[in-house]
Amino acid sequence: MADEMSKTEVPKRRQGGPRRGHGGPMGRPTEKAKDFKGTLLKLLGYIGKHKVAVIFAIVFAIASIVFNIVGPKVLGQVTTKLYEGLTAKVAGTGSVDFDWIGRTLLLLLGLYLASSACSLLQGWLMTGVTQRICYRMRKEIAEKIAVVPMSYFNGHSKGDVLSRITNDVDTLGQSLNQSVTQLITSVTQIVGVLVMMISISLPLTGVVVVTLPAAALIMGVMMHFSQPYFRAQQKVLGEVNGIIEEDFAGQNVIQVFDRAADAVAEFDEKNDQLFISGWRSQFLSGLMMPLMSLVGNAGYVAVVVVGAQLALSGSIGVGDIQSFIQYVRNFTQPVQQIANVSNTLQSMAAATERVFEFLAAPEEENAAAPQVPAAREGRVEFDHVRFGYAPDKTIIHDFSCEALPGQTVAIVGPTGAGKTTLIKLLQRFYDVDAGSLRVEGIDVRDWDRAELRREFAMVLQDTWLFCGTVRDNIRYGRPDATDEEVEAAARTARCDSFIRTLAGGYDFVINEEGTNISQGQRQLITIARAVLADRPALILDEATSNVDTRTEELIQRAMDELMRGRTSFVIAHRLSTIRNADAILVLRDGDIVEKGTHAELLAAGGFYAELYNSQFEEAA
């Protein structure tokens, strides 16, 4: 689009250090948590859409743990029965009841099988829930992109937005699938094991419980210190993705200007920041498990010592000691898992915050009662329009113009004069600061936004083609067009002949960057797209700038045919291409300094004549 946009909207790259995204260097203070609890509450709202599946998953998870924690006590009873039987057999007063032991062991096997089955079912249910949540989030992000104002993308790199769709949603999905069920099963296991331990020995249970405050303290300290680095890791990851995406797309320019070393240095700087935040977050979170294991092992040793004393005094049986030792392991394990889940939740919260931040971004406002005109003729009126991308930097000061149906209005002027800005206002990518802009007699702010944009067909200086066939690219502006209409539009745009020379003709697949056809050919296809769209008004922003002189002449004839009967706005630097325009507006510093036909403006000998003659002087 316009040259002035590079000056007024998008920070220039590689001047004064990296400017991508919104993160700062790691040396600066890391932004504090915006709303950890609030983020989780919002996420619960998403989970609530699948509450039936979640409830069943919770029930199966609890059932799995219940079946599992009953096992050690049953096994302890078997041990006690076997010990007593062997003791009686040695004393000659009895024998081992192997029938009872066999039945009990079969019951134990059934309990463990039931536990595994319930665990399998809850895993299947939670995987479905998390994937549906991820699907919904990606869908909402894709829909959000379509309604976020253009100004949002001026302050956020494409890589950062892509990172939110891919990395952050993936992190959310993986973490949610692991953490929710793990949290439920761990809490259930702690409660269940605690009950079973109390049923065996209250003193031994007290020995184990005293380790909980130490575990809670470790968890709290580790979460406090690691959370900022988890947030920084996700933030810098988005910036790294932005660098990779931008450098890959601009590799030709980087090589031509010998800036490969600078590009690598910039990437290395961000990569170092990602390494530091990732290393610190993982190191601090990794400390939690060994520290928790240390606390658990200390509790285990204390249980063995106290249990031996109780067994010697006859307070508990041998099998009870075995069961209790198993329960100690089953008790410390979920405590450690909760510590691990806390790390997962931190990573999930950091990723989810970024997703919700984008979903909460401001949207393009639509009129409360959007209007659509009864007839579309292509009438456009600028009435004392004032506009600036920033409140303190006005680009268009006081612009008034009327384009009648069927007229061709050319807009010329030096770089940065505000030419393309007017086109952005027409499309309502931005709203005017003062005055009004009317299309078909209706203020654009009162239009239905989608209907307003269907008023115009556009051909821009920067071509955009998607990965697909030539036919589909031409048909993009009018999906219901027939193959015959597509080919007729291509003939009008003077691109039918070269298309038929491609392998597959109209079914030739253009690659993602459009690099398997020439720049001029890409321009011709976008012109054919505008021809096929058949809108009442046209916007041509240097539409012939990327073609040779002979092709430009052919396209100009096609444009004359295309513009006949339509209101057309033509931005041109080659003033020879607008000699037949009904009105030429000469912009300078956001104001109209001259207005008239080509002949009138040349005769006036003003700024337009100076621009026109300078082009021939340069050519000479």
Side-chain angles (χ1 to χ4, degrees):
M1 290 286 282
D3 303 287
E4 65 264 26
M5 288 299 297
S6 62
K7 295 184 177 182
T8 59
E9 293 183 62
V10 183
K12 287 187 177 180
R13 227 191 123 185
R14 310 188 195 284
Q15 294 184 4
R19 301 282 296 171
R20 192 179 277 95
H22 55 275
M26 287 300 296
R28 299 178 186 173
T30 305
E31 184 183 0
K32 293 185 178 181
K34 295 178 180 177
D35 191 0
F36 182 83
K37 293 182 180 179
T39 300
L40 293 183
L41 288 174
K42 287 181 183 177
L43 185 57
L44 286 175
Y46 278 73
I47 297 174
K49 298 286 185 180
H50 311 280
K51 57 186 177 184
V52 175
V54 172
I55 290 172
F56 273 103
I58 292 172
V59 169
F60 284 126
I62 294 174
S64 174
I65 295 300
V66 169
F67 290 138
N68 194 54
I69 62 177
V70 171
K73 187 163 186 177
V74 174
L75 189 59
Q77 291 173 351
V78 171
T79 301
T80 300
K81 193 76 170 179
L82 181 61
Y83 174 77
E84 292 174 348
L86 289 173
T87 302
K89 186 174 181 179
V90 171
T93 58
S95 62
V96 179
D97 188 354
F98 286 106
D99 290 337
W100 182 90
I101 291 174
R103 291 194 301 270
T104 306
L105 288 177
L106 285 174
L107 172 63
L108 183 61
L109 178 61
L111 289 173
Y112 285 138
L113 288 174
S115 175
S116 299
C118 290
S119 179
L120 178 65
L121 287 171
Q122 70 86 17
W124 178 73
L125 288 170
M126 282 307 302
T127 299
V129 170
T130 54
Q131 289 306 310
R132 288 188 185 95
I133 290 174
C134 290
Y135 171 82
R136 177 186 170 190
M137 282 192 168
R138 287 196 179 96
K139 183 173 182 291
E140 289 181 353
I141 291 174
E143 292 172 348
K144 185 75 175 185
I145 290 174
V147 296
V148 168
M150 294 290 290
S151 57
Y152 178 88
F153 296 102
N154 295 332
H156 296 79
S157 72
K158 290 186 287 185
D160 181 67
V161 176
L162 289 173
S163 181
R164 295 174 194 247
I165 299 174
T166 54
N167 295 331
D168 291 330
V169 175
D170 283 343
T171 299
L172 167 63
Q174 294 171 8
S175 302
L176 185 62
N177 193 21
Q178 297 170 10
S179 60
V180 172
T181 54
Q182 190 68 71
L183 189 62
I184 294 168
T185 55
S186 296
V187 171
T188 304
Q189 187 166 336
I190 289 173
V191 174
V193 169
L194 189 60
V195 170
M196 298 303 290
M197 286 194 301
I198 291 173
S199 70
I200 295 173
S201 173
L202 188 58
L204 286 180
T205 304
V207 171
V208 176
V209 169
V210 294
T211 64
L212 290 179
L217 179 62
I218 292 171
M219 288 176 57
V221 171
M222 290 297 102
M223 287 180 65
H224 173 74
F225 284 104
S226 62
Q227 176 64 21
Y229 295 114
F230 275 107
R231 291 196 309 273
Q233 182 181 10
Q234 293 298 124
K235 189 176 183 180
V236 179
L237 182 60
E239 296 172 6
V240 168
N241 286 338
I243 294 176
I244 294 172
E245 189 274 337
E246 190 174 272
D247 286 353
F248 180 80
Q251 193 58 224
N252 290 342
V253 177
I254 291 172
Q255 295 295 334
V256 166
F257 286 95
D258 193 25
R259 299 302 296 269
D262 297 316
V264 172
E266 183 181 5
F267 174 81
D268 285 344
E269 181 182 350
K270 288 296 179 184
N271 200 27
D272 288 342
Q273 295 176 13
L274 182 59
F275 168 78
I276 292 170
S277 59
W279 185 88
R280 290 177 178 175
S281 63
Q282 295 302 320
F283 174 73
L284 290 173
S285 63
L287 284 177
M288 194 176 299
M289 288 300 289
L291 290 174
M292 295 295 292
S293 296
L294 178 62
V295 173
N297 288 333
Y300 177 68
V301 171
V303 165
V304 171
V305 172
V306 175
Q309 296 296 324
L310 293 174
L312 290 174
S313 65
S315 300
I316 59 175
V318 175
D320 291 333
I321 296 177
Q322 177 198 332
S323 298
F324 205 92
I325 290 174
Q326 285 186 274
Y327 280 129
V328 171
R329 287 298 187 188
N330 288 340
F331 185 77
T332 56
Q333 181 186 20
V335 173
Q336 294 170 6
Q337 288 173 342
I338 288 178
N340 190 44
V341 166
S342 69
N343 294 328
T344 305
L345 286 175
Q346 290 178 77
S347 178
M348 183 182 73
T352 308
E353 267 188 344
R354 285 168 47 79
V355 173
F356 285 146
E357 279 175 2
F358 181 72
L359 292 177
E363 299 181 1
E364 290 182 321
E365 296 181 1
N366 215 342
Q371 301 180 37
V372 177
R376 300 195 179 198
E377 301 174 331
R379 181 184 298 274
V380 177
E381 301 167 76
F382 290 87
D383 187 7
H384 298 287
V385 167
R386 177 184 176 88
F387 173 75
Y389 293 106
D392 57 338
K393 294 181 180 179
T394 300
I395 295 176
I396 306 296
H397 298 93
D398 187 5
F399 183 86
S400 295
C401 166
E402 181 178 9
L404 299 176
Q407 278 192 333
T408 298
V409 178
I411 304 172
V412 302
T415 298
K419 303 183 296 296
T420 300
T421 298
L422 293 175
I423 302 305
K424 289 178 178 289
L425 294 177
L426 266 179
Q427 292 283 283
R428 209 188 164 197
F429 291 146
Y430 300 90
D431 282 331
V432 300
D433 296 331
S436 65
L437 169 56
R438 295 184 293 276
V439 175
E440 307 294 6
I442 303 173
D443 192 298
V444 293
R445 289 166 291 193
D446 296 327
W447 269 77
D448 178 277
R449 193 184 297 269
E451 288 297 329
L452 172 66
R453 291 172 183 168
R454 291 191 188 100
E455 182 85 1
F456 300 92
M458 295 181 68
V459 179
L460 306 179
Q461 181 177 359
D462 296 326
T463 58
W464 179 82
L465 299 175
F466 58 85
C467 182
T469 66
V470 172
R471 192 185 308 277
D472 289 339
N473 270 279
I474 296 175
R475 191 183 272 133
Y476 187 77
R478 193 176 145 208
D480 60 343
T482 64
D483 290 347
E484 290 74 16
E485 290 172 323
V486 169
E487 294 172 13
R491 286 192 292 272
T492 301
R494 306 299 194 269
C495 61
D496 176 75
S497 57
F498 95 76
I499 290 174
R500 294 188 182 278
T501 66
L502 299 173
Y506 283 87
D507 294 320
F508 176 80
V509 177
I510 300 173
N511 64 22
E512 186 177 357
E513 300 295 329
T515 54
N516 54 348
I517 58 175
S518 72
Q519 180 76 13
Q521 290 172 334
R522 294 201 296 269
Q523 190 74 73
L524 289 168
I525 291 175
T526 62
I527 292 170
R529 179 191 293 166
V531 172
L532 183 63
D534 194 21
R535 305 284 173 79
L538 291 171
I539 296 174
L540 309 174
D541 186 354
E542 283 297 319
T544 61
S545 62
N546 293 319
V547 296
D548 58 75
T549 305
R550 184 172 180 276
T551 305
E552 179 184 355
E553 183 179 353
L554 293 174
I555 292 177
Q556 196 59 53
R557 294 176 187 171
M559 288 298 171
D560 291 340
E561 180 181 338
L562 175 62
M563 291 187 292
R564 188 176 298 115
R566 294 180 175 85
T567 305
S568 303
F569 291 88
V570 182
I571 295 176
H573 285 117
R574 297 182 189 177
L575 303 186
S576 58
T577 63
I578 58 170
R579 285 176 292 189
N580 296 327
D582 297 302
I584 299 174
L585 308 179
V586 184
L587 292 185
R588 193 173 192 176
D589 299 326
D591 293 318
I592 298 177
V593 294
E594 290 181 308
K595 179 180 179 181
T597 64
H598 175 73
E600 292 170 347
L601 293 173
L602 282 182
F607 185 56
Y608 177 82
E610 181 183 336
L611 289 174
Y612 184 79
N613 293 325
S614 67
Q615 292 188 355
F616 290 99
E617 290 172 5
E618 291 172 2

